[in-house]
Amino acid sequence: MCRHLGYLGPAVPLADLLLTPPHSLLRQSYAPQDMRHGGTINADGFGAGWFTPGEKDPVRYRRAVPMWTDTAFASVAAGAKVTAAVAAARSATVGMPVVETANAPFAEGRWLFSHNGVVRGWPDSVALLAQRLPVTDLITLDAPTDSALLWALVRHRLRAGQEPVDAIESVMLEVAVAAPDSRLNLLLGNDELLVATAWWHSLWVRPGPGAVTVASEPIDDDPAWVAVPDHSIVFATKTTVDIRPLDPGRQEP
């Protein structure tokens, strides 16, 4: 499994989101509190994508090393003022490669994507879903992993003009049918919105004045954190947070 985080709001140092809080993503990489039998640490790499004031496209940083070993990232994160971010610390599923390109966030244009979980029965369970993609998408996956394929499925829908919430929900529910018992916490974001799912794994949201943070685990003791019910989807902007049950009626066999 993994841990991930999304943020929208006023410009803050990236370190204030990922490194300095008492239960930051950095700490979650070696001392997570709610992995739900999905491993004990998240030491197979990490990544972050973020938007800085005045810039249209995100900056992305990915490494295939434990987050706590990359001392250079602390300087990068301290100097970067961000208005939006998606970041993740990875715990690789057995058999999947530990390489830089396997780390979230995956990206295209303004979109950043992360997956916290596992697709059961990979790769056979989702082979039919993969066949719907253009061949060029399959042969140019960032890595031969379940998360990279999930991103390709979501990206294909976004390119076709599907709304972000619909793209995330439809992919997640189709994969849940094709690969039962999968853990499918997906996170999609840009500099205007965050869409996240809770499907057999932990997810929390913290709304605030002109800001919102979505994370696998709370990064601090702020009482504003709210646990997202399992089998739910979150749609958030800087000023609104909508949480609703995922619609099983949208499942496609």
Side-chain angles (χ1 to χ4, degrees):
M1 309 304 168
C2 309
R3 304 281 82 182
H4 59 203
L5 175 146
Y7 170 78
L8 292 171
V12 296
L14 184 62
D16 287 1
L17 298 173
L18 306 184
L19 304 181
T20 59
H23 194 61
S24 65
L25 192 68
L26 172 61
R27 185 170 182 83
Q28 292 175 39
S29 69
Y30 61 84
Q33 294 179 336
D34 190 8
M35 290 292 283
R36 303 195 183 185
H37 308 291
T40 55
I41 59 174
N42 301 282
D44 296 316
F46 73 99
W50 62 89
F51 290 83
T52 57
E55 296 295 329
K56 298 175 67 174
D57 295 321
V59 177
R60 190 165 52 142
Y61 186 105
R62 297 191 292 178
R63 294 292 310 279
V65 298
M67 193 172 184
W68 65 83
T69 68
D70 187 349
T71 56
F73 183 64
S75 297
V76 172
K81 288 290 187 72
V82 307
T83 55
V86 171
R90 185 179 183 225
S91 176
T93 301
V94 174
M96 295 190 186
V98 179
V99 294
E100 180 179 296
T101 54
N103 287 291
F106 303 98
E108 180 172 274
R110 294 168 57 234
W111 291 113
L112 298 166
F113 175 84
S114 176
H115 166 226
N116 169 23
V118 61
V119 173
R120 303 295 185 192
W122 166 269
D124 296 336
S125 60
V126 288
L128 291 178
L129 296 180
Q131 288 179 14
R132 302 179 188 176
L133 293 172
V135 173
T136 51
D137 284 8
L138 292 174
I139 63 178
T140 56
L141 289 176
D142 281 35
T145 65
D146 53 359
S147 297
L149 178 65
L150 290 172
W151 165 233
L153 293 169
V154 171
R155 182 183 61 190
H156 185 59
R157 286 161 170 77
L158 294 172
R159 288 173 175 173
Q162 196 165 8
E163 290 297 319
V165 172
D166 294 334
I168 287 290
E169 183 173 2
S170 61
V171 167
M172 202 231 70
L173 291 174
E174 287 176 5
V175 173
V177 171
D181 300 322
S182 295
R183 298 189 183 195
L184 299 168
N185 278 32
L186 311 184
L187 174 59
L188 176 71
N190 58 24
D191 56 343
E192 296 179 345
L193 60 86
L194 293 170
V195 182
T197 60
W199 193 268
W200 299 125
H201 221 321
S202 60
L203 187 69
W204 293 73
V205 61
R206 180 180 62 184
V212 63
T213 307
V214 176
S216 299
E217 302 177 12
I219 60 175
D220 54 31
D221 296 326
D222 190 332
W225 285 103
V226 176
V228 176
D230 200 13
H231 293 64
S232 297
I233 188 166
V234 179
F235 176 79
T237 68
K238 293 178 181 179
T239 57
T240 63
V241 176
D242 178 37
I243 303 173
R244 61 174 174 82
L246 283 158
D247 181 4
R250 298 193 55 167
Q251 295 180 357
E252 299 180 14

